Amino acid sequence: MALGTMTWGGDTDAEEAASQLVAFVDAGGTLVDTADIYGDGESERVLGSLLGDLVPRDDVVLATKAVARRDDGPFGGGASRGALLTALDGSLKRLGTDHIDLWQLHAWDDCVPLAETLSALEYAVTSGKVRYVGVSNYAGWQLATAAADASALAPIVSTQVEYSLLERGVDREVVPAAEHHGIGLLPWAPLGRGVLTGKYRTGTPADSRGANSAYAGYVEHHRTDRAARIVQAVATAADGLGTSPLAVALAWVRDRPGVVAPVVGARDTGQLTGSLTAEEITLPPAIRSALDDVSAIEVGYPERWPR
């Protein structure tokens, strides 16, 4: 598992973030993911304040992202060379470190030539400020193009995408592209934005994201009739295995081909600890097959050819 920090510096204060980070590292976790846009930079600041004193910097694989952040300066965002290198310096300062282990492009930028973007990634790596580079939210053709054109000095090593039993669109082209180019998958929202935990089966809990006006639309995206059928199947599997729906859903995506680590965020340390128990779960082939079937998406021409 990877630890997601999107709410740090906002809904998750520094004290709770510290508790989560310690619990994660103590459980053997290493990859911690943030972005310069999370909390307008507060997520990076909170994480940076915890590295060194609370958790040794070298004990974590530190990942962050650029491109999506916007401000009023001349290099106010996007994937241009100027914007990216300015964003990199900002992230390094907020994180209080001299290098980032995995620097990711948060989104594709149609307004900038890909060669310019990739040249910035190469500079970031050769300068020593970045160890590895990846992308996020890229379509299959975008991922394949970036992978093919990237410098040998700064190859694309990962792609972070929404991937869960409720969101399997990446199975059409992103997953095959990643497999072909040897790129690891980092699924975000592996719990279907919280829906796969089963907490929304009978309503909207007052302390859930679905009850928060800032996140209600984010959760509602997966509250559909199809989702209800999948959630029921997950709950049935969890009952049979004597575990939680959360653990079943995470174990399913963790073991998908090409997946390196699902990125899990948590409201509190207790919820995070519950997510980490998924590491102990192995889904029997019959249950995995049933979950595959109930969540299957239509894949036709040209992805499935010949047929």
Side-chain angles (χ1 to χ4, degrees):
M1 303 295 168
L3 177 60
T5 65
M6 185 175 70
T7 62
W8 288 19
D11 293 344
T12 303
D13 62 25
E15 183 177 355
E16 175 56 38
S19 177
Q20 289 187 24
L21 183 61
V22 170
F24 178 71
V25 173
D26 285 350
T30 56
L31 178 56
V32 183
D33 181 71
T34 184
D36 62 358
I37 197 175
Y38 294 167
D40 194 27
E42 285 304 308
S43 174
E44 288 184 329
R45 290 189 185 94
V46 170
L47 177 55
S49 72
L50 302 177
L51 296 176
D53 294 334
L54 187 66
V55 171
R57 167 67 180 87
D58 291 342
D59 284 359
V60 302
V61 177
L62 183 58
T64 191
K65 310 178 195 75
V67 174
R69 185 180 176 88
R70 293 289 189 270
D71 59 45
D72 295 329
F75 303 114
S80 70
R81 182 181 178 88
L84 285 174
L85 297 182
T86 298
L88 176 58
D89 288 340
S91 288
L92 290 168
K93 181 178 180 179
R94 287 186 293 272
L95 289 165
T97 186
D98 63 355
H99 73 279
I100 290 165
D101 297 305
L102 177 63
W103 194 40
Q104 303 154 99
L105 301 175
H106 213 153
W108 179 269
D109 190 343
D110 281 325
C111 298
V112 179
L114 180 60
E116 179 180 343
T117 299
L118 295 176
S119 73
L121 299 187
E122 181 178 354
Y123 172 80
V125 172
T126 57
S127 68
K129 295 180 179 181
V130 167
R131 299 294 190 256
Y132 298 93
V133 294
V135 298
S136 181
N137 303 309
Y138 271 35
W141 71 267
Q142 294 167 342
L143 177 63
T145 303
D149 291 356
S151 163
L153 297 175
I156 305 298
V157 302
S158 66
T159 181
Q160 191 170 151
V161 289
E162 183 172 5
Y163 196 15
S164 72
L165 280 160
L166 300 186
E167 181 53 82
R168 295 187 57 186
V170 294
D171 279 330
R172 294 187 178 95
E173 293 192 351
V174 174
V175 172
E179 181 180 17
H180 179 76
H181 289 283
I183 294 170
L185 296 168
L186 298 172
W188 61 264
L191 293 172
R193 310 187 183 193
V195 174
L196 285 166
T197 64
K199 70 175 70 176
Y200 298 106
R201 293 174 72 189
T202 59
T204 303
D207 62 348
S208 68
R209 282 185 176 180
N212 185 323
S213 59
Y215 293 104
Y218 175 80
V219 174
E220 286 296 325
H221 177 75
H222 284 319
R223 297 181 72 176
T224 64
D225 290 341
R226 173 181 177 272
R229 293 191 295 272
I230 297 170
V231 170
Q232 180 59 52
V234 170
T236 300
D239 288 342
L241 295 172
T243 188
S244 67
L246 178 153
V248 169
L250 279 179
W252 179 88
V253 73
R254 177 201 65 201
D255 295 335
R256 295 294 292 172
V259 168
V260 175
V263 181
V264 294
R267 180 179 64 252
D268 52 43
T269 305
Q271 191 178 66
L272 175 62
T273 301
S275 295
L276 296 177
T277 62
E279 291 286 12
E280 305 167 4
I281 302 297
T282 299
L283 297 181
I287 288 180
R288 174 167 292 282
S289 178
L291 294 176
D292 289 348
D293 289 344
V294 75
S295 65
I297 59 172
E298 183 177 352
V299 178
Y301 178 84
E303 294 90 358
R304 183 175 294 159
W305 177 262
R307 57 176 179 161

